[in-house]
Amino acid sequence: MKIPLRGLQLLSEASLRGAVKQRQTAAALMRIALGSLTIIFYALHLSQRNFLWGPGGVVSWPDNLALLAESRTYTLYQFFPSALGAGCLYWLGLAVSLMFTVGLFARFSSILFFLFTWSLYQRNWYAIDGGENLLIILAFYLMFADLSALSLDRMLFPKRRERSTQFSLPGWTDLLWRSAALVTMGTYGTILFEMAHPFLLWHARVKWLVFAGAVCLHTGIG
């Protein structure tokens, strides 16, 4: 029995590695697509940057502050009321988009990409066409993704070790998975809890137990 079980284990590990690589490649392609679109956006408006995002442009700096206060949001441009400051932010945003697209210091540049792209659209709402909502949402989630595939980081820093697992607890994970009883209890217990949760939550006497069960369930997943 050890040989077939070992074969299944190797097949499972190979499948996991393949799935991880596919997810990394998909995230990298999303990084390249969003970064390229943003670079094009910057390039198309390069000659009109002062009119569109400058302090004396189509939306003046005082008017932008009033709109930001009304919507309770922020932009980097509100801290730079001069044309020089707005121009520097514009060029920095373009540089950050280039870094993000090619995957240079991807962890850091992904955060800057979200910040500068968000600030650009919040500075001039006339440049908004609805499509920026999806771009901003995806850029936010990409800050937490592994963007190392198809990147300069992987070429410049090849010796960085890659994690072989996500969702693992060293020293305990193998012990849990080897116990058929724990796996069975956890599987059926999760199914029963998820089925009963919407109904039990409305009962005042047990809803605190349901909440505690939800916390324990997701702690176990983590």
Side-chain angles (χ1 to χ4, degrees), residues 10 33 55-56 66 72 76 79 85 102 108 143 162 202 204:
L10 292 175
R72 298 180 180 179
L76 291 175
F79 303 107
V102 300
F108 182 63
M143 289 193 298
E162 297 182 2
W202 295 99

Side-chain angles (χ1 to χ4, degrees), residues 41-42 48-68 71 73-83 85-87 89-90 115-128 132 136:
F41 186 85
Y42 273 104
Q48 297 181 324
R49 62 186 183 278
N50 292 325
F51 173 72
L52 294 175
W53 286 280
V58 62
V59 180
S60 66
W61 188 72
D63 290 341
N64 185 238
L65 290 182
L67 291 172
L68 292 173
S71 60
T73 188
Y74 300 92
T75 173
L76 291 175
Y77 287 84
Q78 74 184 88
F79 303 107
F80 297 89
S82 66
L89 282 178
Y90 193 89
L115 182 61
F116 274 88
T117 305
W118 167 269
S119 296
L120 187 70
Y121 285 111
Q122 294 301 313
R123 176 59 184 90
N124 182 5
W125 291 353
Y126 291 114
I128 292 176
E132 83 288 343
I136 292 296

Side-chain angles (χ1 to χ4, degrees), residues 129-177:
D129 59 3
E132 83 288 343
N133 290 327
L134 181 59
L135 190 152
I136 292 296
I137 292 173
L138 292 175
F140 177 81
Y141 282 109
L142 285 180
M143 289 193 298
F144 307 97
D146 184 356
L147 304 176
S148 60
L150 306 177
S151 67
L152 282 181
D153 284 347
R154 184 161 291 186
M155 297 174 58
L156 297 176
F157 313 107
K159 295 183 180 180
R160 287 185 177 179
R161 296 176 56 188
E162 297 182 2
R163 294 177 296 177
S164 59
T165 56
Q166 302 157 329
F167 301 112
S168 66
L169 189 61
W172 291 93
T173 302
D174 292 339
L175 294 177
L176 294 174
W177 290 122

